[in-house]
Amino acid sequence: MVPRVSLRRTFFYLVCAVPLVFLALTLTQHQDQWARSLLAGDAGAPSPPLNKLTRPADRDAAEAESTPELRRSQGVASAAALPEEDPGDRGNEGGEVEEQEEEEEGKPWYMSGGTRRSSSSRRLLGLWPAEEPGSDRIAQQLMYVPENYDPEKQVHLKKILLYNGLGSWSPLKQGRESFLQSQCPVDTCTISTNKAEAQDADAILFKDHFVNPGHLRPGNQVWILYFLECPYHTQHVKHNDVFNWTATYRRDSDLVAPYEKWAYYNDKVVENPHGLDRNYAANKTKKVAWFVSNCGARNKRLQYAHELQKHIQVDIYGSCGTKKCPRSSQGKCFDMLDKDYKFYLAFENSNCKDYITEKFYVNGLQRNVLPIVMGARPEDYARSAPKHSYIHVDEFESPKHLAEYLHQLDRDDDLYNNYFRWKGTGEFINTYFFCRMCALLHADIPVKWYRDVNDWWRGPGTCTAVSWRKPKLSEPIR
């Protein structure tokens, strides 16, 4: 029996099936097109996964345009394209890059046998304390000649008034003679001691003592405070905003005036390349000597020496000791020092920043003896003295520890002689204080005043009554 077919139901199935077939054909066609677009790299293709490294399409073009010159201009450096930075190529504080002058042959004019003078009128860096902190800038000032300076056309002589007279300035003379005799690079200055000329002076120098002149002061007149001694032994200046420059032994003075100045012939050669020509320990039978007359120094140097005596021989000459060697026979005393002693106590009377006197330079370094120092900070001696030429007491915990090291040096001539390898590498120079002052008076003088010169001169951190190892710096000097 043939099954009965319903025409109405069949028609219904056909109507439902046709759209489904059409939809399937459409999807198949779009899938083929999408696959072809992937193979062809069509712009409409989906992005690859984010964790997949890809080469940007414009990288080659970017690298072609980013030449080494362009990278430098943009502040981008590569090891292959840029040389290693030379510290000498860095700019100054204002960001301006100074050209480095080629090293000139021969000694500068202020050294023995020296003839070299400034070959350029370009403004030198390092004339003023703010330009080169920590440096005394003496060499720069000695070589300085202002731009366009012509002594033949310089009609006006800069007048320097010594308000307290010539006094200890001997052999300085009034007038221009001293500048010409010293062959100053800038010599168009004149010295006066006539206080009646105060208002007309270009600069007034007050040495060790200040009294306000009371005249109507011109706006461009430079007042200079000069102190030779340390803050404990100098005047309290109560006037504010009167001094433009300072002149002291301190390195942060405008015109540094040290007791002595050591200069190397070549800053890179700090040991004699030819070695020592003698044994500085030979035939010396005594240990430590000290010439001293002030027994009440603030830094308790005498007490330190007495403690040192408990551990090593210390012969104290003068009113503070038992040995005698009169000042009238000073030459013989120093000859004895060179011949018999290995060490000398170059102890200052005060422990103050940069305070290093002839006790170290003359009695110590300029003799054939090893100085043991007390006074300025260890870093001050390191900047002022020849390398490895002294022993600072603050390198040791106590006089006993120092004595132990001195005994070691006494037993070992080679170790002792290492402290003399600086000899022959330089010399003590004349710092030509007034030559430098004259040159700076012709310079572009910075507009400056010391608001409170006492605060600068004797403020916290300037001096200490005890060792620098345990300084008491909270209070200023009164």
Side-chain angles (χ1 to χ4, degrees):
M1 180 177 179
V2 179
R4 185 179 178 181
V5 178
S6 173
L7 294 176
R8 182 180 295 178
R9 182 176 296 176
T10 301
F11 179 78
F12 174 77
Y13 288 152
L14 289 173
V15 171
C16 293
V18 169
L20 292 174
V21 172
F22 180 78
L23 178 62
L25 292 174
T26 302
L27 290 175
T28 300
Q29 183 179 10
H30 279 283
Q31 186 176 13
D32 291 340
Q33 291 177 349
W34 180 63
R36 284 194 300 269
S37 68
L38 285 177
L39 294 175
D42 190 89
S47 301
L50 293 178
N51 63 346
K52 183 175 178 63
L53 296 179
T54 58
R55 178 186 177 98
D58 60 346
R59 178 175 175 181
D60 290 339
E63 287 189 343
E65 293 177 359
S66 182
T67 61
E69 290 76 15
L70 179 59
R71 287 197 291 270
R72 279 194 288 269
S73 69
Q74 294 173 339
V76 179
S78 66
L82 297 179
E84 184 176 349
E85 182 184 14
D86 188 316
D89 292 335
R90 298 186 182 121
N92 58 22
E93 293 178 2
E96 180 181 354
V97 178
E98 291 283 344
E99 294 181 1
Q100 300 298 313
E101 293 184 342
E102 295 183 2
E103 186 175 349
E104 298 176 88
E105 297 294 332
K107 297 179 184 178
W109 70 273
Y110 52 83
M111 301 187 85
S112 60
T115 58
R116 176 165 56 87
R117 292 178 179 260
S118 178
S119 60
S120 172
S121 61
R122 180 176 60 84
R123 167 71 160 85
L124 297 176
L125 292 177
L127 294 180
W128 306 100
E131 294 178 342
E132 196 167 330
S135 168
D136 60 22
R137 308 168 314 284
I138 289 174
Q140 294 95 315
Q141 292 174 352
L142 285 170
M143 296 297 289
Y144 175 63
V145 177
E147 187 176 2
N148 300 323
Y149 173 76
D150 186 350
E152 301 300 327
K153 298 179 181 179
Q154 188 72 28
V155 178
H156 174 68
L157 297 179
K158 298 286 187 179
K159 182 182 293 184
I160 302 170
L161 173 62
L162 305 184
Y163 200 77
N164 299 328
L166 283 173
S168 60
W169 290 115
S170 178
L172 187 69
K173 300 177 182 179
Q174 294 197 59
R176 191 183 176 189
E177 182 179 354
S178 295
F179 299 96
L180 297 174
Q181 286 182 344
S182 297
Q183 297 184 341
C184 301
V186 179
D187 58 18
T188 48
C189 289
T190 182
I191 297 292
S192 173
T193 59
N194 185 357
K195 294 182 180 180
E197 299 177 352
Q199 191 165 354
D200 298 327
D202 294 279
I204 302 181
L205 181 64
F206 302 91
K207 184 179 184 295
D208 295 329
H209 185 72
F210 173 73
V211 175
N212 197 323
H215 65 272
L216 183 61
R217 179 181 178 181
N220 61 346
Q221 189 175 76
V222 179
W223 285 17
I224 308 168
L225 180 64
Y226 182 105
F227 278 151
L228 177 66
E229 290 297 333
C230 72
Y232 289 122
H233 306 292
T234 52
Q235 177 189 9
H236 282 257
V237 180
K238 299 180 180 180
H239 300 269
N240 293 337
D241 295 320
V242 296
F243 294 107
N244 306 100
W245 298 354
T246 52
T248 78
Y249 57 81
R250 282 214 340 226
R251 284 176 168 257
D252 55 348
S253 303
D254 298 282
L255 275 162
V256 182
Y259 283 77
E260 294 283 346
K261 166 67 176 175
W262 168 261
Y264 285 108
Y265 298 130
N266 184 335
D267 289 338
K268 297 179 181 179
V269 181
V270 297
E271 290 188 3
N272 194 323
H274 305 294
L276 298 179
D277 59 357
R278 56 174 294 184
N279 178 3
Y280 286 88
N283 302 318
K284 293 189 175 185
T285 59
K286 299 179 181 180
K287 305 298 190 296
V288 185
W290 187 22
F291 302 146
V292 59
S293 57
N294 177 2
C295 309
R298 290 176 178 267
N299 58 1
K300 296 180 172 55
R301 61 183 182 180
L302 184 59
Q303 290 86 333
Y304 189 100
H306 285 162
E307 186 65 27
L308 188 64
Q309 278 182 319
K310 297 178 182 179
H311 310 285
I312 194 172
Q313 175 195 6
V314 179
D315 291 342
I316 302 177
Y317 291 83
S319 57
C320 303
T322 59
K323 302 286 185 179
K324 302 297 179 183
C325 194
R327 292 190 177 185
S328 58
S329 304
Q330 189 177 66
K332 294 181 179 179
C333 295
F334 283 118
D335 288 342
M336 173 194 66
L337 184 66
D338 281 341
K339 178 183 176 182
D340 297 337
Y341 289 92
K342 288 187 175 180
F343 309 100
Y344 179 75
L345 299 184
F347 286 2
E348 305 296 348
N349 58 34
S350 303
N351 291 356
C352 295
K353 181 172 67 174
D354 287 328
Y355 187 56
I356 307 173
T357 73
E358 78 287 343
K359 297 177 181 65
F360 172 62
Y361 293 115
V362 178
N363 299 5
L365 291 184
Q366 296 185 35
R367 313 305 307 184
N368 295 324
V369 66
L370 176 54
I372 302 168
V373 302
M374 173 191 291
R377 302 170 302 180
E379 58 266 35
D380 299 331
Y381 283 94
R383 291 184 299 192
S384 302
K387 184 178 179 181
H388 202 60
S389 62
Y390 62 92
I391 297 172
H392 199 295
V393 296
D394 285 351
E395 297 172 13
F396 303 89
E397 293 183 7
S398 67
K400 178 182 178 181
H401 289 88
L402 170 59
E404 291 173 353
Y405 182 64
L406 297 183
H407 281 301
Q408 182 182 356
L409 293 177
D410 181 51
R411 293 189 298 266
D412 189 335
D413 285 3
D414 289 337
L415 193 61
Y416 178 80
N417 279 297
N418 281 338
Y419 283 91
F420 297 89
R421 296 189 181 279
W422 60 272
K423 287 184 177 288
T425 61
E427 63 184 67
F428 291 95
I429 65 169
N430 186 336
T431 61
Y432 292 98
F433 176 78
F434 284 96
C435 286
R436 291 185 287 133
M437 182 188 298
C438 184
L440 292 181
L441 286 173
H442 286 81
D444 294 329
I445 301 173
V447 179
K448 59 174 288 187
W449 289 268
Y450 284 81
R451 176 69 183 89
D452 183 351
V453 75
N454 266 323
D455 182 62
W456 172 82
W457 178 237
R458 61 184 81 242
T462 302
C463 299
T464 178
V466 295
S467 166
W468 290 107
R469 291 173 60 90
K470 299 177 181 179
K472 296 179 180 179
L473 305 176
S474 58
E475 295 296 329
I477 300 168
R478 301 299 181 188

